[in-house]
Every structure is written in C-alpha cells, then in structure tokens.
Amino acid sequence: MNVSRYLKNIILIELFVPVLLLTIGIYHGLMQVIYRAGVIHQASVAKLDYYQGLTLHGVINAIVLTTFFAVAFGHATIAFFLKREPGRKASLLSLLLMVTGTLMAAAAMLSGKASVLYTFYPPLKAHPAFYIGTAMLIVGSWVAYWDWSVIYVRWKREHKEENTPLAVIGTLVNFTIWFVCTLAVAYEVLVLLVPWSLGWTTGINVMLARTLFWFFGHALVYFWLLPAYIMFYTMLPKLAGGKLYSGTAGRIAFFLFLLFSIPIGVHHQFGEPSIGRGVKLTQSLLTFAVAIPSFITAFTIAASLEHAAWLRGGRGLYSWIWKLPFFRKDVFLFGYLINGLILFIFGGLTGLVNASYSLNNTVHNTSFIPGHFHLTVAGPVFLAILGMSIFLVSQLTGKKIYLPAINTIIPYLWTVGVLIFSTGLMWGGLMGEPRRTNMGLTYLNPASELYHSYWVISSMLGLAGGGIMFAAGFLYFIVFFGTFLRKRSAAPMIDFPVSESLHEEKRIPLFDTFRPWLVVMGFIIFMAYLPAISDALNNTGKKAPPYLPTDPTPIVTKKP
C-alpha cells in the first residue's frame, strides 16, 4: 500500500523520537546493573545520580518508547487494513502533544527534579513539569485513538456484514484499555499530584493515589503487549510460511483482554494494609483470569507454527521446530517475534507468582519483580518494537536493511541476555535481594557493614546478562540508523506480511462488535474497584508529605 508523504513523516518521527531517547534508556539500564553488582561504590557517575538514572531508564523504556510506538504502529495498521489514512490535523496534534510532553518530562528528569522511580507514585515528589509533561504524552495518544475510532465507525457503516480486520480489532481494543485506565491516572495527576507538586497542598492521600496509579499501572502492561499480540496473530504465521490456525481465537483473546486487563491492579498492593482482604482475593482471581487469553494465544500460535513447519517438510513431535525460518534475512521479523514468544512463556509463568497472595508476599519488593517484568517488557514487547521499527523504517523510506546478517542475530543475542539477567535477579530475589536499591553503596560494598556476600553471584549474573543486552541494543542502533541513512532503492510503502486463516470461519457478530464487551468491561471494573477505592478513602491515616528516594525523612515536615 502506498502512503502519503505526510503520514510517512508522522510515523517516522514517532519512531525516531523514542529511539533517540532509547539510547539514554539503554545506557542507564547498563549502569543499573553495574551499580547493583557492586562494581561502582558511589551514588552517581558523570553527575547523574543512581535514582535519576533509574527513573530515566524506566520512563523512557516503559512509557515514552511504548506509547510512541503504539501510536506509530496504530497509524500504520489502521491505514493498511482499512485503506484510510488517519486525519492530518488529528495526527499532527497527537504528535505535537506527545513530543512537547516528552521534552517537558525529560527536562525535569535530566535536571534531577523528577527522580521518582515510578511515574506517578507518591510520596516521592517530582517537579510539576514532569507530571504535566507525561500527562500531555498520554493525551496526545488519546487524540490518535479518537481519530481511529471515527475512521473505524465510518468504515463499519460501509462494511456491515464484513469482519473487521483482526489487526484493527487488536488496535482498538488496546487503545480502549489505554484510554480507560489512563482516566484514573489523569485524575491522580490533575487533582492530587500537580497541586501537591506546586505546593498548593501540603500532603497527599498516598493510598488513594497508589490505587489510582495501579488502576493504570498493570493495564499498562497489556498496552505494551497487545501490539506484539497483533503481530503474533496477523503476521507471524505468514512469516513462518503458513497460515493462522484460527482468526476467531484471536478475536476472543483480544476481547478477553478488554474485560480483564484493568480490574487487576490491586495485586500490586497486596502489601498495603489499607486494602481489605476481600478486595485482594477478588483481584487475585481476576489476575489469574487474564492468563486465559494468553493460553488461547499460546495454543493458537503454536498450532499455526507447526502447520507452517509441516508445509516445509517438518515431521515428528518436536523436530518440526527446526524447519522454521529462524535465521532467514528476508523474514527477519520472524526472529524478533519468536524470541519474544519464548521469553513470554517464562514471563507469564513467573507472573502467576505475583498473582498469588502468599507467593507474592515472598517476593514482594525483591529483585524477583524486575526479573519477572523484564521477561515480559524486555521480551515480546521490546523485541516486537525493535523488529517492527526496523521493518517500518525500511518500508517507509524505501531502503534496504543495513547489515541484514547482524539484524537476524540481534533478537537471539538479546534473548540470551534477558534470560541470564532475569535468572540472576529472580535468584537474588528469592534470597531477599531488594529491588531499586543502589547495592554498590551498601550490600555489595565490602567496606560496608551491610555487605552480603551471598548476593554476589546473583548480581553478577544480572551484570553479565545486562551487558549482553546492552551489546544487542548497540547493534540495533547500528542497524536502525544505518538503514535510515542508506540510499533509497524503492518507493515508500507499507506492506505487512498478512496471515490468512487456515480454516474458513463464519462471521460471528459477538466477536465483531465492541458494544457488549464495553458494557461488561464497565461492570467488572465498577465491581472490582468500588470496594478498593472505598478502602483507599476510608482506611488511611494522615496525608503524607513528600520524600526523596535517597532520604527516609520528609522534605517538608509540619510543626506539631
């Protein structure tokens, strides 16, 4: 499909801005493992504090990169599958809001005035520019979503008896989840955090703010993940040389994510005494329920890949796997997606630990937690972003992939690094190793009274894995920017490798309309979060003053 110059430039900018910032994010990821392994026994390097770097790493990689990519990929999928480009004014407004907001938040973080680790997590307090900037980034993504929704409604009026393309269903489900979950954090920012940050209020209801944050915080994971799921269903079988085993299974999975992605955030608050046991039990069960669409996906994609391998001559219970095109340069995207799926198997299994109240208490606030979420965020999410960003840049510029052999190696190198890194962190977490902490100052500093020698091996594994991940990221930057700087050899276009369905499937209206799912979604969220919000409002103490991550005393204390 040919694309207008305008849309091409919008998508390329939405890819380049986060990838440029990603150089900072990956650098600080490496610095984190160096600090934590005890290689550095100080609080800062090159005038960048440890917690400042931790914030930059988390916000750039988990918020900025993922949001920009989701919008860019959404523009491409809507235009390609519906044959209608997003509106110029809406896409430009969306881009301007996201870029402006990102620059505001970046300025606050780089100046050391927003070292808050989590984006909106009091009592750590950031500069107002950080909160306002991240809010603008989110609102910019809303604008794109509203524009796509209008395009979809108009398309549907003209194609009433035609199945909506699966990629479009996935995109709209993803941004519906995103829009609903960010409403809570918008309230937190505008009503609680910004007045507190500006000094208009002296304290904040930490429990309410955290509950609103986690209403957004865990649904955010699925906002990261669903673009990868769209690629798994609509592209991976084609890249493997086969067909999608069931498109209906994909529709069911996407709509189940719509139901269960949001009302499970309280499982991040199992350690909060203000939240009642009944609320925790309910949301624990709902967290297990959200594993259902992932299991559906696992079986559907596995069947699709096996079918593709059999078409290539594969036979046997497991030997068919080796017929898949793991290192073929012409379908390099397969390597990125299949490695993401492999990592997600381990990420999903370790995630079930966090869903269990008793098991979560064992690993709560230990390094097991970042070990788990790097298997998901740095697994299918990050690899899908890396692979698709190279694919889109190549297609939209009409340029061939730079160093194609290296490009096929990157996802495998990254996967090895993530497995080693996460193993080290989870092993250390089971031995009580804390998360977020600069252990080079204390626990892994032989000169400190707090030195713990039994965390040396696990942290060194984390360092080794982090080093391999950094090397893979460096190679990615070479391929990404090298591709962009090559001479053009073809016309700019978007041509996704679309998977056909193996079986002829009739249109089922229930799985081709949003209205009933939105009604059920609203009901489940209301029933799950009304008691949680009530607990947060009623079972809380005095409002908390702001803190810094490096100091256990409040920044401002009220006189008795």
Side-chain angles (χ1 to χ4, degrees):
M1 169 190 168
N2 294 326
V3 294
S4 68
R5 184 177 180 180
Y6 185 86
L7 180 60
K8 179 193 76 171
N9 290 336
I10 288 287
I11 295 175
L12 287 176
I13 293 171
E14 289 171 346
L15 293 175
F16 264 78
V17 169
V19 170
L20 285 171
L21 290 173
L22 183 62
T23 59
I24 301 173
I26 285 185
Y27 162 75
H28 282 292
L30 177 65
M31 292 304 297
Q32 292 301 306
V33 292
I34 293 174
Y35 277 114
R36 287 180 58 84
V39 177
I40 298 174
H41 303 306
Q42 57 196 59
S44 63
V45 171
K47 297 183 179 180
L48 285 170
D49 179 75
Y50 168 84
Y51 291 105
Q52 186 179 6
L54 180 57
T55 303
L56 283 163
H57 174 70
V59 173
I60 290 172
N61 291 18
I63 303 295
V64 176
L65 174 68
T66 53
T67 304
F68 269 88
F69 175 79
V71 173
F73 185 59
H75 283 325
T77 54
I78 294 296
F80 180 81
F81 287 97
L82 297 185
K83 308 304 179 188
R84 302 183 184 197
E85 292 194 359
R88 292 196 171 198
K89 291 182 180 179
S91 56
L92 179 59
L93 176 60
S94 170
L95 176 62
L96 290 175
L97 285 169
M98 291 195 298
V99 170
T100 304
T102 298
L103 293 176
M104 289 177 62
M109 290 185 287
L110 290 170
S111 64
K113 296 179 180 179
S115 298
V116 292
L117 315 189
Y118 281 134
T119 44
F120 312 114
Y121 212 63
L124 297 179
K125 182 180 179 181
H127 190 276
F130 176 79
Y131 295 126
I132 296 171
T134 48
M136 288 177 66
L137 170 65
I138 291 170
V139 172
S141 68
W142 287 358
V143 174
Y145 165 60
W146 295 333
D147 183 48
W148 301 335
S149 299
V150 172
I151 294 172
Y152 163 73
V153 170
R154 290 173 179 171
W155 181 90
K156 199 61 185 173
R157 286 173 184 167
E158 300 171 7
H159 303 80
K160 292 182 180 179
E161 300 304 318
E162 184 178 336
N163 254 335
T164 306
L166 183 57
V168 175
I169 292 286
T171 298
L172 294 177
V173 163
N174 191 31
F175 274 80
T176 302
I177 293 169
W178 174 247
F179 176 68
V180 173
C181 77
T182 50
L183 288 174
V185 86
Y187 178 89
E188 181 195 2
V189 169
L190 296 175
V191 178
L192 301 179
L193 293 179
V194 170
W196 180 60
S197 182
L198 288 169
W200 297 347
T201 57
T202 57
I204 190 168
N205 184 334
V206 169
M207 188 52 53
L208 176 61
R210 289 183 178 182
T211 303
L212 292 171
F213 173 82
W214 284 119
F215 185 98
F216 152 85
H218 195 84
L220 173 66
V221 174
Y222 301 102
F223 175 67
W224 297 335
L225 186 62
L226 284 178
Y229 267 64
I230 292 169
M231 297 178 216
F232 293 156
Y233 276 104
T234 65
M235 302 179 198
L236 185 58
K238 177 70 172 181
L239 293 166
K243 296 182 178 181
L244 176 61
Y245 189 77
S246 173
T248 301
R251 294 170 184 275
I252 294 171
F254 285 132
F255 282 121
L256 288 178
F257 276 121
L258 192 64
L259 299 186
F260 297 122
S261 293
I262 296 176
I264 60 175
V266 171
H267 80 251
H268 288 269
Q269 297 178 273
F270 281 161
E272 304 278 12
S274 298
I275 303 295
R277 290 177 296 176
V279 175
K280 292 173 181 177
L281 174 62
T282 300
Q283 299 223 354
S284 180
L285 295 174
L286 288 170
T287 305
F288 284 113
V290 84
I292 295 172
S294 291
F295 283 125
I296 292 172
T297 301
F299 286 111
T300 304
I301 301 304
S304 303
L305 294 177
E306 184 172 1
H307 170 72
W310 275 64
L311 292 177
R312 295 175 179 272
R315 295 294 183 269
L317 187 60
Y318 298 111
S319 56
W320 59 266
I321 294 173
W322 308 114
K323 290 292 184 179
L324 296 173
F326 291 103
F327 292 100
R328 276 182 48 184
K329 301 173 188 176
D330 58 329
V331 287
F332 72 90
L333 196 54
F334 177 87
Y336 283 92
L337 297 180
I338 196 67
N339 277 278
L341 271 174
I342 292 169
L343 288 173
F344 192 51
I345 292 171
F346 299 102
L349 293 175
T350 54
L352 293 176
V353 173
N354 303 333
S356 166
Y357 181 84
S358 55
L359 293 177
N360 182 78
N361 283 339
T362 302
V363 300
H364 184 69
N365 270 344
T366 71
S367 61
F368 184 97
I369 304 301
H372 151 70
F373 69 64
H374 275 83
L375 287 169
T376 54
V377 181
V381 174
F382 197 65
L383 285 174
I385 291 174
L386 297 191
M388 182 52 67
S389 63
I390 292 174
F391 180 87
L392 285 174
V393 164
S394 174
Q395 292 227 325
L396 291 171
T397 60
K399 299 174 181 180
K400 293 182 179 179
I401 303 293
Y402 183 66
L403 298 177
I406 296 296
N407 188 34
T408 61
I409 295 171
I410 291 171
Y412 299 94
L413 184 63
W414 180 266
T415 297
V416 171
V418 171
L419 289 173
I420 296 173
F421 170 82
S422 292
T423 298
L425 264 66
M426 289 189 292
W427 180 16
L430 292 173
M431 296 189 294
E433 179 183 316
R435 63 186 296 195
R436 309 187 191 97
T437 305
N438 181 0
M439 299 200 301
L441 289 177
T442 52
Y443 303 121
L444 289 180
N445 182 359
S448 171
E449 295 180 353
L450 299 174
Y451 178 68
H452 287 323
S453 60
Y454 45 85
W455 288 338
V456 170
I457 296 177
S458 60
S459 63
M460 284 299 172
L461 274 177
L463 175 60
I468 296 171
M469 293 164 69
F470 180 81
F474 184 76
L475 293 176
Y476 161 76
F477 291 130
I478 292 175
V479 173
F480 181 88
F481 292 112
T483 300
F484 182 77
L485 294 173
R486 297 190 81 173
K487 290 183 178 181
R488 197 173 82 176
S489 58
M493 62 183 302
I494 297 177
D495 186 19
F496 289 130
V498 182
S499 304
E500 299 176 8
S501 291
L502 177 60
H503 304 99
E504 184 177 347
E505 297 173 309
K506 294 182 179 179
R507 177 179 177 269
I508 303 175
L510 179 62
F511 301 124
D512 192 42
T513 184
F514 282 82
R515 186 172 299 172
W517 298 96
L518 291 174
V519 171
V520 177
M521 173 194 189
F523 175 76
I524 294 175
I525 291 173
F526 180 80
M527 296 301 294
Y529 260 97
L530 182 63
I533 297 295
S534 176
D535 285 350
L537 288 170
N538 297 319
N539 302 335
T540 186
K542 295 180 180 180
K543 292 184 177 181
Y547 288 77
L548 293 173
T550 54
D551 192 341
T553 60
I555 298 174
V556 178
T557 56
K558 294 178 69 175
K559 293 181 180 181

